[in-house]
Amino acid sequence: MKKLLIIILLVFFISGIGYSQNLMRVNNNPAINADYNNLQDANDNASIGDTIYIEGSETEYEGAKINKMLTIIGPGYLLSDNPKTQANKLEAKFNSDIHFNAGSAGSTIAGCNLSYSGGIYINVDGIQVIRCFFAVVQFDTQATVRNILIHQNYITHGIWSPASSIMANNVVISNNIIDGFVSFPSTSGPIQIANNVFSATPNFSINCYNSTIQNNIFCKENIDPITNKTGNTINNNILAANGTNANGNQYNINMSNVFTAYNDFSPEISTDGKWQLKNGSPAIGAGVNGVDCGVFGGAKPYVLSGLPNLPHIYEATIPATATSGDGLPVTIKVKSGQ
C-alpha cells in the first residue's frame, strides 16, 4: 500500500495540476508520513490558494472550518462500485461537517465523501462543490451568498437556505444525483437547476423562485415535485408525475423506460451508474437544444464515483520484493482526468 501511495503521488505531481502555490497532504494513518493528519490543521497552516489533498483512509476524518481560499481534493466516492476508479479503493470519508467560513471565498472542494449525514455549510461567496458525496448543502449565516456552483455530486438529502433572511444569488445546481429537495426563499435568485436526477423520496420537491429548471429527470410519481413560484422558467424536464405536456416537459413517464437499471438493487449495479440512460430512453435528446436530460447530459456530464479531474491510477501490479538485477518491476494503468 505504501508503494502504491508513492506512485499515486508521483502521478499527481507530474500531472501539473496547476491548482495552487503549494500541495499539502492529509492522511490520518500513523504509518503514513503525510503533512497533516486532519483537514483542520492543514487549513490552519495553509496559505491562500494552496491545494490540500485528502488521501483515502480506513479511518474517517474529522470535519473542519475552512477560513482560507483553498482547493480540497479527495480521491472520489463509491470507488468499489464502478470499474477503473482508483487502484487504492480507500476513500476520504468524513464523520462531521465542513464549513466554509469568512476568508474562504473562492474555495473548491472535490472528491470527498461526507457520508449519508454529513453536510457542507456555505457562509461566503464563490464556493464550488464538485464531485462529492454528502447529505446537504446549506447556506448558513451570511445574508447573501453569491456565485455558488454545486456540480456533479451525489446528494442524499438536499440543498437549501433554512431562513428567509438568507438569500442565495447566482447559484448553479447541475448534473447532480439528488435524493431529496431544493428549497430557497423568495428573495433568492437567479438559480439554475439543470440536468439533475431527482430520485423519489418523501422529502422530494423543488421549492424556489426566480429559477431556470430544465433538463432534469424527476422520478417521483403521483405528485408534481416542482412548486411553480414567481419568476420560474420550467421546461424540457422528464417527470413520472401526472401532468399535461407543455414547454418541452414530458409527464407520466415510466422511469423503467428512462434508466438502464431503475429499481434494480442488484449488487452488480452501481449506486450512481444506475442513472445512466438506456437505449431508446425518452430523455435522450429531450433537453434544451437537443441535449440529453439527466446527469449524463449537458456540457459537463456527471462522472461516475466522483473521480477528480486529475490523472488517476486505476490498476497497479507491484511485487512485494525487488531484486538487484530487475529492481522493482511495476505495471500501472493511468486514466487522464475528465
Side-chain angles (χ1 to χ4, degrees):
M1 184 65 69
K2 187 173 182 180
K3 296 173 185 175
L4 178 58
L5 177 61
I6 293 171
I7 295 171
I8 291 172
L9 291 171
L10 180 61
V11 170
F12 192 79
F13 281 107
I14 291 175
S15 69
I17 60 175
Y19 282 109
S20 66
Q21 300 169 338
N22 302 300
L23 172 65
M24 308 169 72
R25 293 175 51 216
V26 173
N27 194 311
N28 59 11
N29 183 341
I32 301 297
N33 185 24
D35 298 308
Y36 300 97
N37 61 17
N38 65 83
L39 177 57
Q40 189 63 62
D41 285 348
N43 167 86
D44 295 347
N45 289 280
S47 299
I48 293 172
D50 283 353
T51 290
I52 299 175
Y53 187 68
I54 313 293
E55 296 170 0
S57 174
E58 295 180 352
T59 305
E60 293 182 335
Y61 292 95
E62 296 289 335
K65 300 183 187 305
I66 307 302
N67 61 7
K68 298 168 185 172
M69 185 187 73
L70 300 171
T71 297
I72 301 166
I73 303 176
Y77 53 84
L78 303 175
L79 295 179
S80 297
D81 277 28
N82 295 295
K84 297 183 179 181
T85 56
Q86 304 277 12
N88 180 1
K89 304 299 183 185
L90 294 178
E91 301 173 12
K93 291 186 176 181
F94 288 81
N95 60 17
S96 52
D97 306 325
I98 294 177
H99 296 253
F100 287 95
N101 293 337
S104 68
S107 292
T108 296
I109 182 169
C112 293
N113 186 339
L114 280 79
S115 77
Y116 286 88
S117 59
I120 295 174
Y121 291 79
I122 298 176
N123 305 302
V124 293
D125 299 339
I127 300 300
Q128 298 186 79
V129 183
I130 303 172
R131 305 185 190 183
C132 290
F133 187 105
F134 55 89
V136 64
V137 167
Q138 180 169 310
F139 297 85
D140 210 11
T141 58
Q142 182 171 305
T144 302
V145 181
R146 304 174 178 87
N147 305 324
I148 305 299
L149 176 62
I150 303 171
H151 183 55
Q152 300 175 320
N153 302 287
Y154 197 114
I155 305 169
T156 64
H157 194 56
I159 303 166
W160 72 315
S161 179
S164 59
S165 60
I166 302 173
M167 183 176 76
N169 184 272
N170 193 26
V171 177
V172 175
I173 302 169
S174 59
N175 297 88
N176 304 285
I177 299 167
I178 304 175
D179 188 20
F181 63 93
V182 175
S183 181
F184 291 100
S186 59
T187 51
S188 294
I191 299 169
Q192 180 177 343
I193 303 171
N195 281 101
N196 303 284
V197 167
F198 289 83
S199 56
T201 68
N203 294 323
F204 176 75
S205 66
I206 290 183
N207 184 14
C208 55
Y209 302 74
N210 309 310
S211 300
T212 298
I213 304 170
Q214 64 184 31
N215 304 349
N216 303 285
I217 302 177
F218 298 93
C219 300
K220 189 176 181 66
E221 300 176 357
N222 302 323
I223 301 174
D224 191 340
I226 306 174
T227 306
N228 193 0
K229 302 292 187 179
T230 304
N232 286 342
T233 299
I234 304 171
N235 51 24
N236 294 77
N237 300 285
I238 304 292
L239 303 99
N242 297 324
T244 302
N245 293 352
N247 301 317
N249 298 303
Q250 299 182 49
Y251 286 85
N252 308 295
I253 300 299
N254 185 338
M255 291 294 124
S256 295
N257 296 328
V258 176
F259 300 108
T260 56
Y262 187 68
N263 280 338
D264 188 339
F265 301 100
S266 304
E268 63 270 16
I269 303 299
S270 75
T271 305
D272 51 357
K274 66 183 291 183
W275 303 108
Q276 296 176 95
L277 302 181
K278 70 189 309 181
N279 291 336
S281 171
I284 295 175
V288 175
N289 297 323
V291 305
D292 293 348
C293 292
V295 296
F296 295 97
K300 295 183 178 180
Y302 179 90
V303 175
L304 291 174
S305 292
L307 298 177
N309 188 18
L310 297 166
H312 59 278
I313 298 172
Y314 66 89
E315 185 176 319
T317 303
I318 306 173
T321 59
T323 65
S324 58
D326 297 330
L328 183 69
V330 174
T331 301
I332 63 173
K333 295 182 179 180
V334 180
K335 290 179 67 176
S336 62
Q338 54 178 321

